[in-house]
mmCIF file of all heavy atoms in Angstrom:
data_model
loop_
_atom_site.group_PDB
_atom_site.id
_atom_site.type_symbol
_atom_site.label_atom_id
_atom_site.label_comp_id
_atom_site.label_asym_id
_atom_site.label_seq_id
_atom_site.Cartn_x
_atom_site.Cartn_y
_atom_site.Cartn_z
ATOM 1 N N ASP A 377 111.291 116.346 167.452
ATOM 2 C CA ASP A 377 111.766 114.982 167.688
ATOM 3 C C ASP A 377 111.326 114.370 169.013
ATOM 4 O O ASP A 377 111.646 113.215 169.286
ATOM 5 C CB ASP A 377 113.310 114.956 167.644
ATOM 6 C CG ASP A 377 113.844 115.177 166.241
ATOM 7 O OD1 ASP A 377 113.164 114.792 165.276
ATOM 8 O OD2 ASP A 377 114.941 115.760 166.113
ATOM 9 N N LEU A 378 110.638 115.126 169.832
ATOM 10 C CA LEU A 378 110.372 114.646 171.191
ATOM 11 C C LEU A 378 108.956 115.014 171.645
ATOM 12 O O LEU A 378 108.488 116.135 171.397
ATOM 13 C CB LEU A 378 111.391 115.262 172.158
ATOM 14 C CG LEU A 378 111.521 114.676 173.559
ATOM 15 C CD1 LEU A 378 111.936 113.208 173.519
ATOM 16 C CD2 LEU A 378 112.533 115.488 174.378
ATOM 17 N N TYR A 379 108.297 114.048 172.293
ATOM 18 C CA TYR A 379 106.943 114.253 172.834
ATOM 19 C C TYR A 379 106.951 113.773 174.277
ATOM 20 O O TYR A 379 107.376 112.645 174.567
ATOM 21 C CB TYR A 379 105.939 113.436 172.008
ATOM 22 C CG TYR A 379 104.549 113.336 172.592
ATOM 23 C CD1 TYR A 379 103.622 114.368 172.416
ATOM 24 C CD2 TYR A 379 104.151 112.198 173.296
ATOM 25 C CE1 TYR A 379 102.335 114.265 172.934
ATOM 26 C CE2 TYR A 379 102.864 112.088 173.809
ATOM 27 C CZ TYR A 379 101.963 113.118 173.631
ATOM 28 O OH TYR A 379 100.695 113.001 174.140
ATOM 29 N N ILE A 380 106.506 114.616 175.188
ATOM 30 C CA ILE A 380 106.427 114.238 176.603
ATOM 31 C C ILE A 380 105.048 114.622 177.127
ATOM 32 O O ILE A 380 104.651 115.789 177.045
ATOM 33 C CB ILE A 380 107.518 114.927 177.451
ATOM 34 C CG1 ILE A 380 108.921 114.652 176.870
ATOM 35 C CG2 ILE A 380 107.446 114.450 178.903
ATOM 36 C CD1 ILE A 380 110.057 115.326 177.630
ATOM 37 N N ALA A 381 104.326 113.616 177.622
ATOM 38 C CA ALA A 381 102.975 113.871 178.133
ATOM 39 C C ALA A 381 102.792 113.213 179.484
ATOM 40 O O ALA A 381 103.411 112.190 179.784
ATOM 41 C CB ALA A 381 101.923 113.349 177.158
ATOM 42 N N GLN A 382 101.921 113.792 180.288
ATOM 43 C CA GLN A 382 101.635 113.281 181.625
ATOM 44 C C GLN A 382 100.182 112.854 181.711
ATOM 45 O O GLN A 382 99.298 113.582 181.268
ATOM 46 C CB GLN A 382 101.918 114.393 182.642
ATOM 47 C CG GLN A 382 101.557 114.062 184.081
ATOM 48 C CD GLN A 382 101.970 115.202 185.004
ATOM 49 O OE1 GLN A 382 103.129 115.314 185.409
ATOM 50 N NE2 GLN A 382 101.016 116.071 185.324
ATOM 51 N N ARG A 383 99.933 111.644 182.229
ATOM 52 C CA ARG A 383 98.583 111.277 182.671
ATOM 53 C C ARG A 383 98.491 111.713 184.115
ATOM 54 O O ARG A 383 99.375 111.424 184.920
ATOM 55 C CB ARG A 383 98.357 109.767 182.536
ATOM 56 C CG ARG A 383 98.315 109.267 181.096
ATOM 57 C CD ARG A 383 97.138 109.819 180.287
ATOM 58 N NE ARG A 383 95.837 109.471 180.865
ATOM 59 C CZ ARG A 383 95.254 108.273 180.774
ATOM 60 N NH1 ARG A 383 95.850 107.312 180.080
ATOM 61 N NH2 ARG A 383 94.080 108.032 181.345
ATOM 62 N N ASN A 384 97.411 112.391 184.457
ATOM 63 C CA ASN A 384 97.361 113.089 185.732
ATOM 64 C C ASN A 384 96.899 112.237 186.909
ATOM 65 O O ASN A 384 96.841 112.729 188.030
ATOM 66 C CB ASN A 384 96.515 114.348 185.576
ATOM 67 C CG ASN A 384 97.193 115.326 184.619
ATOM 68 O OD1 ASN A 384 98.391 115.585 184.738
ATOM 69 N ND2 ASN A 384 96.452 115.836 183.641
ATOM 70 N N GLY A 385 96.555 110.955 186.635
ATOM 71 C CA GLY A 385 96.213 110.040 187.716
ATOM 72 C C GLY A 385 94.720 110.004 187.981
ATOM 73 O O GLY A 385 93.983 110.961 187.708
ATOM 74 N N TYR A 386 94.276 108.850 188.488
ATOM 75 C CA TYR A 386 92.864 108.686 188.832
ATOM 76 C C TYR A 386 92.748 107.550 189.827
ATOM 77 O O TYR A 386 93.315 106.472 189.619
ATOM 78 C CB TYR A 386 92.031 108.377 187.580
ATOM 79 C CG TYR A 386 90.553 108.418 187.840
ATOM 80 C CD1 TYR A 386 89.837 109.607 187.727
ATOM 81 C CD2 TYR A 386 89.873 107.266 188.240
ATOM 82 C CE1 TYR A 386 88.477 109.653 187.981
ATOM 83 C CE2 TYR A 386 88.511 107.304 188.512
ATOM 84 C CZ TYR A 386 87.817 108.499 188.375
ATOM 85 O OH TYR A 386 86.469 108.540 188.635
ATOM 86 N N GLY A 387 92.008 107.770 190.904
ATOM 87 C CA GLY A 387 91.832 106.719 191.909
ATOM 88 C C GLY A 387 93.176 106.266 192.447
ATOM 89 O O GLY A 387 94.011 107.096 192.805
ATOM 90 N N SER A 388 93.385 104.961 192.465
ATOM 91 C CA SER A 388 94.641 104.439 193.016
ATOM 92 C C SER A 388 95.758 104.417 191.974
ATOM 93 O O SER A 388 96.885 104.016 192.286
ATOM 94 C CB SER A 388 94.416 103.028 193.576
ATOM 95 O OG SER A 388 93.954 102.177 192.560
#
Side-chain angles (χ1 to χ4, degrees):
D377 290 329
L378 194 61
Y379 169 82
I380 305 179
Q382 175 176 278
R383 292 295 300 283
N384 295 313
Y386 189 88
S388 59

